[in-house]
Amino acid sequence: MSRRPLPRILSSGGAQLARSREIARSAADSATDVLHPLITVSRGLRKLAATARAKWAATPKERRGPTLFLVAACVLVVALAPYGPLLALVALMGAAAWKGREKPVVKTGPDEAETARLKGLYEALVPYFSVPEDPEPLFAHGGDWSRAFADHAFDADGRPTRLRIAYPPYFPDGEPASRARIEQLLHAKSGRGREYRFDWDEEGNRLVMHVLPALPTTIAAQRFVTAPGETVLGFTDADAVQRTVPVVSADGSEDAPAVVWRTGPRSTEPHLLAVGQPGSGTTSLLRSLALQALAHGDVLIVDGAGVGEYACLVGRDGVLGIESELSGALESLEWASHETERRLISANRARQAGHPAPADTRRPLWILLDRPGALGHLAAAEGRTDPQELLRVPLRHGRAAQVTVVVAEQFDTADALHEEVRAHTRARVVLGPAVPEQIAAVLGAAPHTTPTPQVPPGRGYARLGTGPVLRLQVPATPDPYDEAVGDTDRQAVLDLLPERRAAATVALEKVPEAAAEPTPAPVVRHAPVPAEG
């Protein structure tokens, strides 16, 4: 059976359709070229209208009336001026054309230098993420780095700021030592001097590395909005905590993510230990805690360094004493031990009688020890009791007696801390430059970031109990009598100081043997206090 030829219209339809598409495409391109100015102006007018609408929505209601009057006056002036409407139209079209101009093409991939850096990272990770037995290794010398690296971003200097790495399932990502080797390598190859955070996804075999911005140092000491029993240790990353506190900084008012430490009978971490290098800000942390504690309680300070860092608190209401000598420190801490016992006895008697606890047992008492190791060395030389021995009762029973102990020590003398202090101070802070091993030894866990060798005072890490390790920036709380301090920070601390008592120098009374009655708090003899300001 012979085949019939196809109709002419069907045999040549494909070519005609192709020519029709080409003609339509050419016409669309020509129309786009001709109407490009009109499209640009229309896009700009739409953006200007959206900007005006947003500004109007952000204008407070009490200011909208004057704003409308001002706009109407400007329109009237333009309408009455010679050639005013024409000039206004030309200006509007020019602004719309500038606003609606096409944006530069966004880079969608790494350039040559960034590609070379990614290849270098890939080759450096090959010995850690490959084994000879793997038939299809994800990491191999000369392999395709794009299979392992995704979601990468770079800064202006070409250094990676974010990188997602896929690694093989057999890598022991559950071992801290294996993780530390990878983090150290990426830190060295991506650029030192920055703080990196590493998030390990063990289920998906993914590692995300990104650079963390520096925590702000513009927040000074101030009255923080907290409940009784809550103390702000400092501020951290926004995604690390769920609590924000309104603060006033050098950049204005804002809600800053705060590391809030809870003390009192229901606290699981009633005592705190802060360790740092000289000049790292541990004394500023204790000053900040003292200023916050004086709003609701009493403070007893033992300054082992004896350099007068707490002179601004001498004779203030709520400050029971500031001791820097061994004899005075022993007497003050002995009083604190008896006071803790007295509070426990009074509260127990009240409960047995069916009455609420006395008011003097519910007022918080804070014991701040700055560098007790120095006093312990003097006590050992003189054959006297170590001041840390007198902390056993406040540490063991302080939570029930509303007594909080805060100890600050330096790394070089941290070995002198007693086991009693280490066991009961479950809230920990590390300030200043430190290697990950030092941080892990104090906090009980290594941080998820790489510490930088140079940090400002008050920068470090905090961990409350068994919680996560958080970056921390202590609010600036310098000594207001230090001439090197700026006027703003100096005045911020002076504004928080309580009023002075009429008699700031009182003889230290002997601690009674029995703890059944309230014992007078020791108030220390000091040299004349410098004038404020």
Side-chain angles (χ1 to χ4, degrees):
M1 182 176 181
S2 62
R3 296 183 179 178
R4 295 183 180 181
L6 294 174
R8 183 184 180 89
I9 188 172
L10 295 179
S11 61
S12 61
Q16 292 180 355
L17 289 176
R19 285 196 300 270
S20 300
R21 293 195 191 97
E22 187 65 26
I23 294 174
R25 188 178 299 108
S26 301
D29 294 340
S30 301
T32 301
D33 295 338
V34 172
L35 299 177
H36 180 71
L38 181 59
I39 295 174
T40 302
V41 172
S42 300
R43 187 189 305 120
L45 289 175
R46 185 171 61 254
K47 292 183 178 180
L48 289 175
T51 303
R53 191 182 303 109
K55 287 185 176 296
W56 176 258
T59 302
K61 293 183 178 180
E62 62 273 8
R63 295 180 56 185
R64 291 185 177 182
T67 302
L68 284 176
F69 178 78
L70 181 61
V71 172
C74 293
V75 171
L76 181 61
V77 171
V78 171
L80 296 179
Y83 303 103
L86 180 60
L87 294 177
L89 181 61
V90 172
L92 179 63
M93 293 298 103
W98 176 260
K99 194 74 174 178
R101 69 190 188 281
E102 293 183 358
K103 298 297 177 65
V105 179
V106 180
K107 185 178 66 172
T108 57
D111 56 21
E112 184 177 353
E114 295 170 352
T115 301
R117 184 177 285 271
L118 291 176
K119 287 183 179 179
L121 283 175
Y122 178 83
E123 294 291 336
L125 291 172
V126 168
Y128 302 94
F129 285 151
S130 63
V131 292
E133 297 80 7
D134 191 350
E136 296 181 0
L138 183 62
F139 284 81
H141 291 293
D144 184 11
W145 60 266
S146 60
R147 294 175 52 202
F149 294 164
D151 193 14
H152 40 69
F154 297 84
D155 59 8
D157 298 330
R159 297 185 300 177
T161 58
R162 180 178 175 84
L163 181 62
R164 184 186 298 273
I165 303 174
Y167 57 87
Y170 50 76
F171 176 76
D173 51 8
E175 300 178 1
S178 301
R179 289 190 178 190
R181 286 194 297 267
I182 300 300
E183 294 175 1
Q184 183 180 6
L185 174 65
L186 293 175
H187 181 202
K189 295 295 183 179
S190 300
R192 299 184 182 273
R194 301 184 298 175
E195 195 166 3
Y196 296 86
R197 179 174 178 177
F198 299 94
D199 295 324
W200 292 82
D201 180 11
E202 300 180 10
E203 293 183 280
N205 300 318
R206 296 291 186 273
L207 169 62
V208 178
M209 177 198 75
H210 58 272
V211 178
L212 294 174
L215 294 176
T217 59
T218 56
I219 303 177
Q222 56 193 278
R223 293 293 181 197
F224 299 114
V225 182
T226 56
E230 293 182 344
T231 306
V232 175
L233 296 179
F235 300 92
T236 184
D237 300 300
D239 58 348
V241 293
Q242 300 179 352
R243 177 80 174 268
T244 59
V245 175
V247 298
V248 178
S249 63
D251 302 328
S253 301
E254 58 178 333
D255 290 339
V259 181
V260 179
W261 174 39
R262 293 173 177 84
T263 58
R266 292 178 176 83
S267 173
T268 56
E269 303 88 20
H271 309 297
L272 181 138
L273 172 64
V275 183
Q277 300 288 356
S280 59
T282 54
T283 301
S284 296
L285 173 62
L286 263 63
R287 259 194 306 265
S288 174
L289 297 178
L291 292 176
Q292 297 182 61
L294 287 173
H296 305 284
D298 299 324
V299 175
L300 175 63
I301 301 175
V302 176
D303 183 11
V307 294
E309 290 285 344
Y310 303 94
C312 60
L313 296 171
V314 174
R316 302 287 180 175
D317 289 339
V319 180
L320 303 181
I322 302 176
E323 280 293 351
S324 57
E325 297 181 355
L326 177 60
S327 59
L330 292 176
E331 292 180 356
S332 298
L333 294 179
E334 187 178 359
W335 170 88
S337 179
H338 283 280
E339 174 64 12
T340 305
E341 295 175 351
R342 184 199 68 80
R343 291 184 174 211
L344 292 175
I345 294 173
S346 299
N348 186 40
R349 289 176 178 175
R351 283 194 295 268
Q352 290 179 357
H355 301 299
D360 60 339
T361 64
R362 297 196 304 268
R363 182 172 175 81
L365 171 61
W366 288 67
I367 306 173
L368 308 181
L369 282 83
D370 195 353
R371 298 203 60 190
L375 295 177
H377 180 73
L378 293 177
E382 298 180 8
R384 305 181 67 177
T385 304
D386 193 323
Q388 297 184 57
E389 295 287 343
L390 301 175
L391 291 177
R392 290 185 176 180
V393 175
L395 287 172
R396 292 180 179 179
H397 308 287
R399 179 172 58 179
Q402 291 279 9
V403 177
T404 301
V405 178
V406 180
V407 180
E409 192 55 271
Q410 295 182 0
F411 275 112
D412 53 357
T413 55
D415 295 338
L417 292 173
H418 287 201
E419 187 62 30
E420 197 83 19
V421 175
R422 296 175 181 270
H424 290 88
T425 52
R426 300 185 69 249
R428 301 289 181 90
V429 173
V430 174
L431 298 180
V435 297
E437 291 76 12
Q438 290 178 312
I439 300 174
V442 176
L443 302 182
H448 297 290
T449 63
T450 55
T452 55
Q454 296 181 355
V455 293
R459 178 71 56 79
Y461 298 90
R463 189 187 187 201
L464 304 179
T466 58
V469 179
L470 306 174
R471 291 204 304 165
L472 181 72
Q473 177 61 53
V474 177
T477 316
D479 181 9
Y481 298 152
D482 187 358
E483 297 179 355
V485 177
D487 294 337
T488 302
D489 294 340
R490 179 204 308 268
Q491 192 60 42
V493 176
L494 291 175
D495 292 342
L496 295 177
L497 293 175
E499 297 293 333
R500 289 193 182 276
R501 294 190 296 268
T505 305
V506 180
L508 183 63
E509 299 188 18
K510 184 179 179 181
V511 179
E513 296 296 334
E517 298 297 333
T519 54
V523 181
V524 185
R525 294 182 291 269
H526 282 274
V529 182
E532 295 182 3

